[in-house]
Amino acid sequence: MSIPKICKLRVGILGATGIVGQKFIVLLQNHPWFELVSVAASEESAGKTYEKAVAGRWKQQVDIPKNVARTKVSQCDPHAMQADFVFSGLDGAVAKDIERSFAESGIPVISNTKTYRMEEDVPLLIPEINPDHIRLIDIQRKRRQWSGFIVTNPNCVAIPLAMALKPIYDAVGIQKVSVVSMQAISGAGFPGVASIDIVDNLIPYIVGEEPKVETEPLKLLGKLAAGKVKFAAFPISAQCNRVAVQDGHFLNISFTTAKKTSVERLKKLIRDFRGEPQKLKLPSAPQNPLIYLDDDFRPQPRLDRDREGGMAITIGRLRECPVFGYKMAVLGHNTIRGAAGAAILNAELLYKKGYLVRSRFS
Ligand code: NAP
């Protein structure tokens, strides 16, 4: 009996030349279900080979894969890309029309950008937290008359924040949260923050960041009922800082639980947490989505950001807080779990649930 040939889905990347786009390229190499077939970026890059387009700005520790290096960069046009679906790492300022044009043309978009995240009929998805929210796709398609769809992943601070809070919220409820972030420079893209601003320094403001961190976790932890997400109802106060770290966003989270609990119980909830990707054994799923470390000097960006291929959130220093009740330190890799890896995990869930299929080019 012959072994059936596995037909991988053909994938394109919008914004393939940026920091997140580059990470998509690295993470999609040898993916068991998806094969990268096209890369697209701005008019300035379009028409060049990928290696020419990123000359001097390839920021990954591995070489550009050979098959990608010689691929011609195309414009972000659904008719120019022969893909079953696309990942988007587009600049937020240009994503709206481009992503819509793909969804309208029948090409699903798995997006990193902020543009559609908070729209009522668009899933804001972390497969460990709210896999059932993918049902919004059916409503979105019907309402917008799209044959494709858009699914988004959250902001790179909202992801570790929501993931760290999830098991606590489910077990004992949450009344309020304060979060102070120390965010890596790779979070600003390339060239990002000028070196003269960040060396020997810290910048206490990231344009547009705090409102995202204060709202997105409430949609993620919300319940889907009667076709709408009822947001979680606790306040989050965020203060976001840029620091001189290459990769890895670090968060100090203080929180008040709704029910009485203990430090030991909270640590156990974190350690025991598993979700749908672990059950389904999705290829990019970490075995332990939350890792708790007892060493008071951890987590640290340089030492802990790459745990489980950058897909795990690392937590430490969970202790009592005289003001809020509890506090903890949380770390997530911003371009992997906070961006490209998050979107790939979303695509894997959508594939398993039958939302991503071979399309018109089959
Ligand atoms: P980036 O390095 O600045 O890359 C932006 C990408 O958008 C490039 O490929 C660029 O192409 C493309 N682009 C710009 N203008 C365009 C246009 N008019 N038409 C088509 N393509 C255009 O940014 P990034 O850090 O990768 O971030 C990408 C997105 O992901 C942003 O929306 C960001 O907010 C989000 N995000 C980033 C992170 C992170 O840690 N960096 C985390 C989560 C989410 P050219 O090279 O041709 O200009």
Side-chain angles (χ1 to χ4, degrees):
M1 203 172 79
S2 64
I3 299 165
K5 197 174 156 215
I6 297 167
C7 262
K8 292 188 183 183
L9 294 194
R10 286 151 303 178
V11 179
I13 301 173
L14 310 176
T17 49
I19 289 290
V20 173
Q22 294 178 18
K23 196 56 93 183
F24 274 124
I25 289 171
V26 171
L27 296 178
L28 285 169
Q29 283 305 297
N30 306 315
H31 193 282
W33 301 342
F34 309 142
E35 184 180 2
L36 181 58
V37 294
S38 47
V39 287
S42 75
E43 280 182 12
E44 224 162 281
S45 303
K48 297 178 184 163
T49 59
Y50 186 80
E51 64 189 342
K52 280 237 165 73
V54 296
R57 55 188 182 124
W58 176 256
K59 299 295 164 200
Q60 307 305 308
Q61 286 169 332
V62 293
D63 291 341
I64 304 171
K66 281 201 175 64
N67 58 325
V68 179
R70 282 171 215 132
T71 302
K72 267 218 169 123
V73 177
S74 63
Q75 289 191 12
C76 294
D77 172 355
H79 305 290
M81 295 178 80
Q82 303 228 319
D84 296 316
F85 73 96
V86 291
F87 289 109
S88 170
L90 283 171
D91 190 299
V94 301
K96 190 165 193 187
D97 292 343
I98 296 175
E99 292 185 1
R100 191 192 55 231
S101 72
F102 277 80
E104 270 173 0
S105 306
I107 302 179
V109 181
I110 316 299
S111 176
N112 261 285
T113 52
K114 62 181 179 188
T115 318
Y116 288 94
R117 283 181 193 150
M118 298 306 279
E119 302 237 341
E120 207 178 72
D121 56 355
V122 175
L124 177 66
L125 185 64
I126 296 180
E128 281 94 344
I129 294 187
N130 59 342
D132 57 314
H133 288 201
I134 62 175
R135 295 205 307 269
L136 285 174
I137 292 171
D138 306 325
I139 294 166
Q140 180 193 123
R141 280 178 146 163
K142 207 165 161 196
R143 186 181 292 166
R144 299 183 192 238
Q145 302 283 294
W146 288 350
S147 43
F149 58 82
I150 296 176
V151 165
T152 60
N153 58 260
N155 162 279
C156 43
V157 174
I159 290 176
L161 175 60
M163 285 185 66
L165 293 178
K166 168 71 176 169
I168 300 169
Y169 179 69
D170 284 351
V172 290
I174 287 177
Q175 274 185 356
K176 58 184 172 186
V177 170
S178 167
V179 56
V180 177
S181 72
M182 279 145 268
Q183 300 182 218
I185 53 174
S186 61
F190 183 78
V193 189
S195 53
I196 201 163
D197 286 333
I198 198 72
V199 172
D200 187 29
N201 208 9
L202 170 160
I203 300 168
Y205 181 54
I206 300 174
V207 178
E209 195 77 348
E210 288 164 2
K212 292 182 232 167
V213 178
E214 290 177 351
T215 53
E216 290 178 13
L218 304 176
K219 183 173 180 184
L220 287 158
L221 295 170
K223 297 272 171 277
L224 182 65
K228 279 195 176 154
V229 178
K230 188 168 186 286
F231 283 31
F234 57 86
I236 300 175
S237 169
Q239 301 188 71
C240 297
N241 306 285
R242 185 75 66 199
V243 297
V245 164
Q246 172 66 37
D247 291 309
H249 289 352
F250 182 93
L251 283 54
N252 281 127
I253 304 174
S254 309
F255 59 98
T256 306
T257 56
K259 291 185 200 151
K260 238 178 121 100
T261 184
S262 68
V263 167
E264 282 319 307
R265 172 140 192 247
L266 292 173
K267 285 185 189 175
K268 184 165 167 27
L269 287 169
I270 287 167
R271 284 193 165 114
D272 291 347
F273 177 68
R274 303 285 183 280
E276 191 82 352
Q278 289 70 39
K279 258 189 240 151
L280 294 174
K281 295 191 177 4
L282 298 179
S284 301
Q287 279 187 4
N288 300 292
L290 303 178
I291 295 173
Y292 189 86
L293 300 178
D294 279 312
D295 181 346
D296 272 346
F297 289 90
R298 308 288 275 271
Q300 295 181 19
R302 193 148 41 82
L303 301 180
D304 296 309
R305 63 192 168 207
D306 292 322
R307 284 175 182 274
E308 300 238 24
M311 289 298 284
I313 302 300
T314 311
I315 303 175
R317 304 211 65 217
L318 205 158
R319 59 211 190 279
E320 286 183 358
C321 163
V323 178
F324 280 84
Y326 299 97
K327 53 189 171 182
M328 59 184 166
V330 173
L331 174 79
H333 196 304
N334 54 299
T335 63
I336 302 180
R337 188 69 208 213
I344 293 172
L345 191 63
N346 283 353
E348 291 169 358
L349 179 73
L350 292 164
Y351 176 74
K352 265 280 181 199
K353 300 284 177 184
Y355 281 94
L356 294 176
V357 291
R358 292 281 284 189
S359 63
R360 55 198 177 134
F361 302 110
S362 301

